Amino acid sequence: MKRRRAMEANAKTAAGIKTVDPVWEAVRAGARQIVANESSLANMAVSAILNHDTFELALAHRLAARLDHDDVSADLIRQAFAETLLDAPEIGINARVDLAATLERDPACHRAVEPLLYFKGYQAIQTHRFAHAMLKAGRRDFALYLQSRSSQVFQVDINPAVVIGKGIMLDHGTGLVIGETAVVGDNVSMLQNVTLGGTGKSDQDRHPKIGNGVLIGAGAKVLGNIIIGECSRIGAGSVVLKEVPPRVTVAGVPAKVIGEAGCAQPALVMDQMVLVYDLASPAE
């Protein structure tokens, strides 16, 4: 009875979202454009987007199609995702916010349909959201399978225990690694080959805690149970071993504070430029 009430409540929520859902309407508009302009991709656009009534169903279908394997078929993954959405409807809400963030911050993204269909960074983050919810629900093996399969397909390895906020933009995605006890706040942007790693062999809290609004440049390594202050900026290729104060820029190996963050929300602006004279005279 309790589960039925939860399902009915989720259905009402989904119905409410369907009536006023600008993200979903923008995705569908992009799919219709693909059908009109690129006949060779029409079947994909219809099956992945236009055949579905809600954003959540389209998301589950597209991810399952990408993760399909002889070990676990797309149909089984799709069914598991549908069951997970009943208990974790926030997945769809957060996925919408991530999509809007990608459209806003990535200059290579021109339509809302593109992250859902093509961007493996976006797809990897959404796969993690399902894996995390499954882990919390006691489906550890399925969650670990999704982590493994996502790593194979998207070249992104995120432990299912990682807590990730909303408004995440993962640009390119290739080579991203996030360890088990890491926490990522809201409105964070990360580029390729970023590592949020642990140190030592302890099974305790050993990974970074990334504050809201942080920008982490390509190839940066953040190691250990350290706090990266909100709205800070980590330069590309940096190795961060110590805590970072809020609203500053750090760069170098090892990383040092070289100045202010440059703007109120670095993750939204996506400015990765670190001036040469700043690196030559790092602030203490």
Side-chain angles (χ1 to χ4, degrees):
M1 182 62 69
K2 183 177 180 181
R3 182 172 178 81
R4 171 183 278 184
R5 286 197 295 268
M7 292 174 65
E8 290 175 351
N10 290 342
K12 290 179 181 178
T13 300
I17 290 174
K18 183 179 178 181
T19 57
V20 182
D21 193 347
V23 172
W24 178 227
E25 289 306 314
V27 169
R28 288 179 62 84
R32 288 191 291 268
Q33 187 180 52
I34 292 171
V35 171
N37 296 339
E38 189 60 73
S39 59
S40 59
L41 298 180
N43 183 64
M44 178 190 69
V46 171
S47 63
I49 307 294
L50 298 176
N51 274 352
H52 305 287
D53 293 330
T54 67
F55 177 85
E56 285 80 358
L57 290 175
L59 177 68
H61 184 280
R62 184 56 179 164
L63 294 180
R66 295 299 313 274
L67 298 168
D68 182 39
H69 190 269
D70 289 343
D71 289 340
V72 183
S73 70
D75 286 340
L76 287 176
I77 295 173
R78 197 175 299 118
Q79 179 180 346
F81 284 175
E83 294 169 355
T84 301
L85 283 165
L86 291 176
D87 296 319
E90 67 275 7
I91 291 174
I93 296 171
N94 292 337
R96 286 175 173 83
V97 181
D98 294 343
L99 192 150
T102 302
L103 185 59
E104 177 185 1
R105 300 175 208 166
D106 186 351
C109 183
H110 303 288
R111 297 170 299 173
V113 72
E114 292 172 7
L116 185 56
L117 285 182
Y118 309 129
F119 288 14
K120 62 189 179 71
Y122 176 81
Q123 293 167 350
I125 290 293
Q126 308 323 312
T127 300
H128 168 74
R129 295 197 185 282
F130 280 103
H132 182 70
M134 287 183 178
L135 184 70
K136 290 174 62 177
R139 304 185 69 176
R140 175 178 173 80
D141 285 304
F142 209 123
L144 290 173
Y145 176 78
L146 288 176
Q147 176 193 1
S148 174
R149 186 69 183 134
S150 180
S151 180
Q152 291 176 315
V153 174
F154 306 127
Q155 297 85 53
V156 172
D157 194 342
I158 308 174
N159 188 285
V162 174
V163 176
I164 294 183
K166 59 184 178 295
I168 306 300
M169 203 280 278
L170 181 54
D171 197 5
H172 302 292
T174 302
L176 179 88
V177 176
I178 305 181
E180 180 184 27
T181 62
V183 176
V184 178
D186 296 335
N187 299 316
V188 171
S189 295
M190 294 180 281
L191 283 92
Q192 69 272 17
N193 291 315
V194 165
T195 297
L196 305 182
T199 56
K201 296 175 65 176
S202 170
D203 63 355
Q204 303 301 313
D205 201 352
R206 62 193 186 278
H207 293 97
K209 310 298 179 282
I210 310 299
N212 298 336
V214 171
L215 170 62
I216 306 180
K221 315 301 177 188
V222 186
L223 305 177
N225 183 18
I226 57 177
I227 295 174
I228 306 302
E230 65 179 17
C231 298
S232 58
R233 182 174 62 153
I234 298 175
S238 299
V239 177
V240 184
L241 303 175
K242 296 181 180 180
E243 294 193 358
V244 174
R247 295 174 289 279
V248 301
T249 295
V250 299
V253 182
K256 296 182 179 181
V257 176
I258 63 169
E260 297 181 353
C263 62
Q265 293 279 340
L268 306 187
V269 178
M270 296 297 293
D271 181 5
Q272 299 182 73
M273 293 298 294
V274 176
L275 300 179
V276 174
Y277 69 79
D278 287 334
L279 286 173
S281 302
E284 295 298 332

